[in-house]
Amino acid sequence: MSADNEATPTGDQDRKDSDLLRFESVSLAVPANSGERILCEDVSASLQPGTIHALVGPSGRGKSTLLRSVIRMYPLRRGEIHLHGCSISEIPPTRLRTQIACLPQQPVLFPGDVHSNLLIPFRFKHVTIQPPDEATLQQELEALQLPGSMLQADAATLSGGESQRIALLRALLTNPEVLLLDEPTSGLDPDSSRALIEHVKRWVAEGERAVLWVAHEPSVLKRLAVTPLLLEHDGLYPTPDWGVM
């Protein structure tokens, strides 16, 4: 992800054409007694295929809100977000959410077992890929340090960390182009966190995909091995020393 405050000028058409996801002068605000409170302004940045990007910043700055705005779950105050050069406002929500998957801090699982939860996206007609078989699901669970036998477990009995990994796997199975992650390792022990990070890195390397990852823990930033991008009130800035602050 390049932040235009310091990177290639926005007028570089060749770079724009290669962008998978692009933010152009985005501003976000929330309602307040006086009308609105601005979270951030002039956020201009781009994600290229095959990359992972860590988004950091103080609480309340709008990191989670920025992720939600990408899938049209929160309105922009100003600016544009483009996917493959097309404004997300022009993409039907159902199609947009097959191309972009967002995993919130508190993932949602539905009544039933883990197997049925993983296959929920494939019930919708806009998801055109075939659902994976049980053997594939078991392999994917084991890659995230979960037992294959968990497919038969009641989703309501899972711990927070287990639920996070099931929700992540469900998102990856639909093969999105962009993955938005909001602190996905927050409920995990160090070994499980490491497994999740490595799983996402392998997933990115397998295709023309990109990840925007909200992170706070220095250990996560170190393992991602990327320069964190600091969301400030007036833009987005590369901040190499964030993990030691």
Side-chain angles (χ1 to χ4, degrees), residues 33-53:
N33 292 335
S34 58
E36 65 177 12
R37 178 173 68 87
I38 296 175
L39 298 175
C40 57
E41 294 188 281
D42 197 28
V43 174
S44 294
S46 57
L47 286 73
Q48 285 78 39
T51 55
I52 299 176
H53 320 280

Side-chain angles (χ1 to χ4, degrees), residues 58-80:
S59 297
R61 179 61 67 216
K63 301 181 298 296
S64 298
T65 305
L66 184 63
L67 297 191
R68 292 174 61 205
S69 72
V70 177
I71 55 170
R72 295 177 57 183
M73 294 291 288
Y74 197 88
L76 301 179
R77 178 176 180 268
R78 187 180 296 122
E80 290 278 353

Side-chain angles (χ1 to χ4, degrees), residues 112-124:
D113 61 19
V114 168
H115 188 271
S116 63
N117 264 271
L118 290 173
L119 296 185
I120 280 175
F122 301 95
R123 299 178 184 176
F124 300 99

Side-chain angles (χ1 to χ4, degrees), residues 1-243:
M1 187 179 197
S2 59
D4 289 336
N5 305 74
E6 293 193 7
T8 310
T10 55
D12 187 338
Q13 190 61 46
D14 289 340
R15 184 177 63 81
K16 278 189 175 185
D17 289 343
S18 69
D19 292 342
L20 181 50
L21 188 72
R22 182 168 182 79
F23 300 85
E24 293 191 349
S25 302
V26 165
S27 173
L28 296 172
V30 294
N33 292 335
S34 58
E36 65 177 12
R37 178 173 68 87
I38 296 175
L39 298 175
C40 57
E41 294 188 281
D42 197 28
V43 174
S44 294
S46 57
L47 286 73
Q48 285 78 39
T51 55
I52 299 176
H53 320 280
L55 181 64
V56 300
S59 297
R61 179 61 67 216
K63 301 181 298 296
S64 298
T65 305
L66 184 63
L67 297 191
R68 292 174 61 205
S69 72
V70 177
I71 55 170
R72 295 177 57 183
M73 294 291 288
Y74 197 88
L76 301 179
R77 178 176 180 268
R78 187 180 296 122
E80 290 278 353
I81 300 175
H82 292 88
L83 178 68
H84 289 301
C86 179
S87 173
I88 61 169
S89 64
E90 300 175 3
I91 303 174
T94 53
R95 182 158 68 87
L96 182 67
R97 290 167 199 165
T98 62
Q99 296 174 281
I100 302 175
C102 183
L103 189 67
Q105 289 184 30
Q106 301 296 328
V108 176
L109 296 184
F110 299 92
D113 61 19
V114 168
H115 188 271
S116 63
N117 264 271
L118 290 173
L119 296 185
I120 280 175
F122 301 95
R123 299 178 184 176
F124 300 99
K125 63 182 180 181
H126 60 269
V127 176
T128 57
I129 61 176
Q130 292 296 310
D133 59 27
E134 187 167 325
T136 299
L137 292 177
Q138 289 175 337
Q139 291 173 0
E140 294 295 323
L141 287 172
E142 291 166 0
L144 290 168
Q145 292 199 339
L146 295 169
S149 59
M150 185 174 281
L151 284 178
Q152 285 71 49
D154 186 339
T157 67
L158 302 184
S159 68
E162 290 169 340
S163 296
Q164 283 178 306
R165 283 175 281 175
I166 294 301
L168 171 66
L169 177 54
R170 183 173 60 194
L172 296 181
L173 290 173
T174 62
N175 197 28
E177 295 178 84
V178 179
L179 182 62
L180 310 173
L181 300 176
D182 198 348
E183 299 188 66
T185 61
S186 60
L188 303 183
D189 60 60
D191 287 342
S192 298
S193 175
R194 188 178 304 110
L196 185 148
I197 292 169
E198 294 305 317
H199 191 76
V200 172
K201 290 170 73 172
R202 287 193 298 271
W203 177 81
V204 171
E206 290 171 358
E208 295 292 292
R209 302 155 173 164
V211 176
L212 182 56
W213 187 312
V214 175
H216 286 295
E217 301 172 31
S219 60
V220 172
L221 296 171
K222 182 177 180 180
R223 187 161 291 278
L224 288 175
V226 296
T227 298
L229 291 161
L230 176 62
L231 183 62
E232 289 280 25
H233 184 272
D234 60 347
L236 195 60
Y237 301 91
T239 310
D241 59 348
W242 174 265

